[in-house]
Amino acid sequence: MSALTSLSAKDIAAGVRRGDFSAEAVVKSHLDRIAAVDAKVRAYLCVLADSARAAARAVDAKRAAGKALGTLAGVPVALKDNICLAGAQATCGSRILEGYKAPYDATVTERLKAADAVVLGKTNLDEFAMGSSNENSAYFPTKNPWDLARVPGGSSGGSAAAVAARMAALALGSDTGGSIRQPAAFCGLVGLKPTYGAVSRYGLVAFASSLDQIGPLARSIDDAALALSVISGHDPKDSTSAPSPARDYLAESAGDLGGLRLGLPREYLEGGLEPDMQGALESGLDALKARGASVREVSMPHTRYALSVYYVIAPSEASSNLARFDGVRYGARRHGAGGSLLELYEETRGAGFGPEVKRRIMLGTYALSSGYYDAFYLKAQKVRTLIKGDFDAAFKDVDLLVTPTTPSAAFRFGEKTDDPLQMYLSDVFTLPCNLAGVGGVSVPAGKSAQGLPLGLQFMARPGEDHLLLRAARAVEAAGLFSGEPDL
Ligand code: GLN
């Protein structure tokens, strides 16, 4: 493997700025790596080799002209295929958007480009980000680079696999109920879901608008911090974007942990943890305490309703958001000769959406229908407020919450596909964070007996994403996790 693909995003940007190597050489080494291993891993739905080379050359030309380069100079980045890049596909892992080309850049894409990053390609995902394993992609399942018989997690599994397999230095994903943190945990990466509103969703295809956030998947805290600094900050094009200015998360995440109070929510651990995960949690807590943090137990009594609440609210919002895919405006269209407009809708949606998406649309439409709205959607919103209340109360006593990211390490293909509830349960630890709108991060904290990555999750008050990174940095520094997948 060429040394350039082993470098962090931070070191690539520094090296390109100094002139140690060109952005073009960095892109070439990553394209070579993709050619060598992506046939096995299948992280990318499309590789944009020509535009990536051209963008890298433009960065090199900018440097040659004596201009200052951006934070992510020459850094090869992968984008989940539900984030728009002008002129490129945005399938959302669905047949219904096959052939669709995004007419504009998402705000995050625009900001990456402005920071001189180079977009390498679009990565695989569960259809419309609905899933936890990538098995719901309409195209093919991405494999976990640590064990090709296992899932990379989902829905941002392609982004996670690309970064873990050194096919990109950095990637963006989206997280509605865990879709950045869970694949990060399964692939041995740092995955950050920022506070709701911290990053613009303009140009992200909406799944559940009150829950969706874009965030980075990276091999280090530094890289996640750099990426967050670039993509965050107010955007007038997204009305849910918080009116906060850009921040330097690299600097803000560097402080020590002296005096930091950590809370361990009792209810997350009630069922007991698998021994490997328990070990990772304890080692992580030791590392945090050794750096000056204190740990106490807290109670979040409404945690047990989070899964049910999520599976009413997320499908309800999805059923509304996905109504726009009707065969008229976007992507694929199916229409028998002489058929009516209704038949066009029915044929397009019937053929274009996969089974999990149809299940969610049916669940959501039912929960929103008159007569059932109060019993399901309205009640779920009320319980959501109680869950949020648990977080508010906990954050009066502690600065951060710490939990495992997932109940177990990456599972095998097919292990949970027959039982949607088992699949949904992969996200029990990550869902409440989205319901409360707070930020969460997953950081590698060890390996299972089979050598698979295990992640710990931190959650913080809204707007305190720098604290997430600061705490995760202490776990990273403890060296509980190392190595790279052997491909
Ligand atoms: N796995 C969860 C779901 O299927 C979360 C997905 C996500 O965060 N996009 O809805």
Side-chain angles (χ1 to χ4, degrees):
M1 191 195 305
S2 130
L4 290 177
T5 52
S6 297
L7 292 182
S8 67
K10 190 181 171 201
D11 288 346
I12 289 174
V16 168
R17 272 197 297 268
R18 275 197 306 266
D20 295 350
F21 39 76
S22 66
E24 194 174 0
V26 174
V27 162
K28 183 182 180 308
S29 65
H30 284 82
L31 291 173
D32 290 348
R33 175 77 178 157
I34 293 171
V37 302
D38 203 34
K40 283 192 254 180
V41 178
R42 308 213 71 188
Y44 283 94
L45 282 173
C46 94
V47 179
L48 302 161
D50 292 342
S51 63
R53 279 193 207 98
R57 272 187 235 114
V59 172
D60 292 332
K62 193 170 165 186
R63 182 176 183 278
K67 294 192 188 126
L69 295 184
T71 310
L72 295 176
V75 174
V77 181
L79 290 182
K80 187 176 182 179
D81 207 24
N82 60 355
I83 297 173
C84 291
L85 167 70
Q89 68 172 50
T91 63
C92 295
S94 181
R95 292 283 171 202
I96 209 164
L97 282 172
E98 206 166 3
Y100 170 73
K101 292 238 181 327
Y104 59 86
D105 280 338
T107 295
V108 291
T109 308
E110 209 175 84
R111 289 183 181 179
L112 286 173
K113 288 180 177 174
D116 291 321
V118 173
V119 178
L120 274 186
K122 306 294 298 288
T123 53
N124 198 17
L125 65 155
D126 288 292
E127 187 172 0
F128 285 103
M130 297 175 190
S132 309
S133 67
N134 253 257
E135 291 164 293
N136 293 342
S137 166
Y139 297 93
F140 45 78
T142 294
K143 316 240 172 76
N144 189 317
W146 292 89
D147 178 350
L148 298 172
R150 290 174 190 267
V151 305
S155 60
S156 312
S159 284
V163 177
R166 273 67 180 162
M167 292 189 280
L170 204 60
L172 294 188
S174 63
D175 188 312
T176 305
S179 277
I180 292 173
R181 291 160 288 156
Q182 186 254 20
F186 281 8
C187 292
L189 301 175
V190 176
L192 176 72
K193 183 207 91 78
T195 301
Y196 187 79
V199 175
S200 167
R201 285 105 43 93
Y202 179 74
L204 168 72
V205 179
F207 163 10
S209 309
S210 75
L211 304 163
D212 300 338
Q213 262 294 285
I214 296 174
L217 293 114
R219 293 194 295 263
S220 68
I221 299 295
D222 277 355
D223 285 1
L226 281 179
L228 183 62
S229 307
V230 166
I231 63 173
S232 62
H234 181 63
D235 177 17
K237 290 179 184 152
D238 176 355
S239 61
T240 65
S241 147
S244 37
R247 288 166 62 171
D248 180 352
Y249 286 97
L250 193 59
E252 286 191 63
S253 63
D256 69 36
L257 302 188
L260 207 67
R261 298 163 305 167
L262 293 167
L264 202 54
R266 186 180 312 138
E267 291 77 6
Y268 280 61
L269 309 172
E270 243 161 23
L273 291 175
E274 289 189 2
D276 291 343
M277 194 56 93
Q278 182 70 34
L281 178 61
E282 279 164 21
S283 320
L285 292 176
D286 288 345
L288 293 155
K289 287 187 213 155
R291 285 181 162 68
S294 63
V295 183
R296 72 188 74 175
E297 214 176 71
V298 294
S299 174
M300 304 184 72
H302 298 95
T303 302
R304 64 197 178 102
Y305 303 115
L307 190 75
S308 320
V309 165
Y310 175 87
Y311 278 99
V312 173
I313 292 177
S316 296
E317 295 183 11
S319 74
S320 164
N321 277 324
L322 268 53
R324 76 192 63 174
F325 303 108
D326 54 9
V328 177
R329 284 170 294 178
Y330 308 96
R333 174 181 300 175
R334 302 236 176 172
H335 200 197
S340 67
L341 182 62
L342 184 63
E343 281 163 355
L344 173 124
Y345 295 159
E346 287 174 350
E347 283 173 40
T348 303
R349 290 167 69 85
F353 288 135
E356 183 62 25
V357 175
K358 286 178 182 160
R359 174 167 23 240
R360 306 273 180 121
I361 291 174
M362 285 190 279
L363 279 171
T365 309
Y366 184 78
L368 290 175
S369 57
S370 79
Y372 294 103
Y373 182 94
D374 288 3
F376 293 106
Y377 185 72
L378 191 63
K379 182 168 277 171
Q381 289 291 16
K382 288 178 179 170
V383 182
R384 179 181 189 173
T385 302
L386 297 174
I387 292 168
K388 166 88 170 47
D390 281 358
F391 278 85
D392 294 343
F395 287 137
K396 288 206 174 91
D397 296 330
V398 296
D399 304 301
L400 287 164
L401 296 164
V402 54
T403 74
T405 308
T406 56
S408 65
F411 45 89
R412 287 199 173 75
F413 285 100
E415 215 173 292
K416 299 182 196 270
T417 35
D418 294 338
D419 183 352
L421 188 59
Q422 279 311 311
M423 189 69 90
Y424 295 172
L425 280 167
S426 345
D427 305 306
V428 272
F429 296 148
T430 49
L431 299 170
C433 172
N434 301 68
L435 291 168
V438 307
V441 71
S442 179
V443 61
K447 285 192 190 143
S448 71
Q450 295 107 317
L452 299 166
L454 297 169
L456 283 192
Q457 171 180 240
F458 294 96
M459 297 177 275
R461 294 182 195 98
E464 303 204 328
D465 297 341
H466 63 293
L467 288 185
L468 298 174
L469 292 168
R470 200 179 289 176
R473 195 184 277 292
V475 175
E476 179 181 66
L480 304 170
F481 176 85
S482 61
E484 58 182 88
D486 181 20
L487 286 162

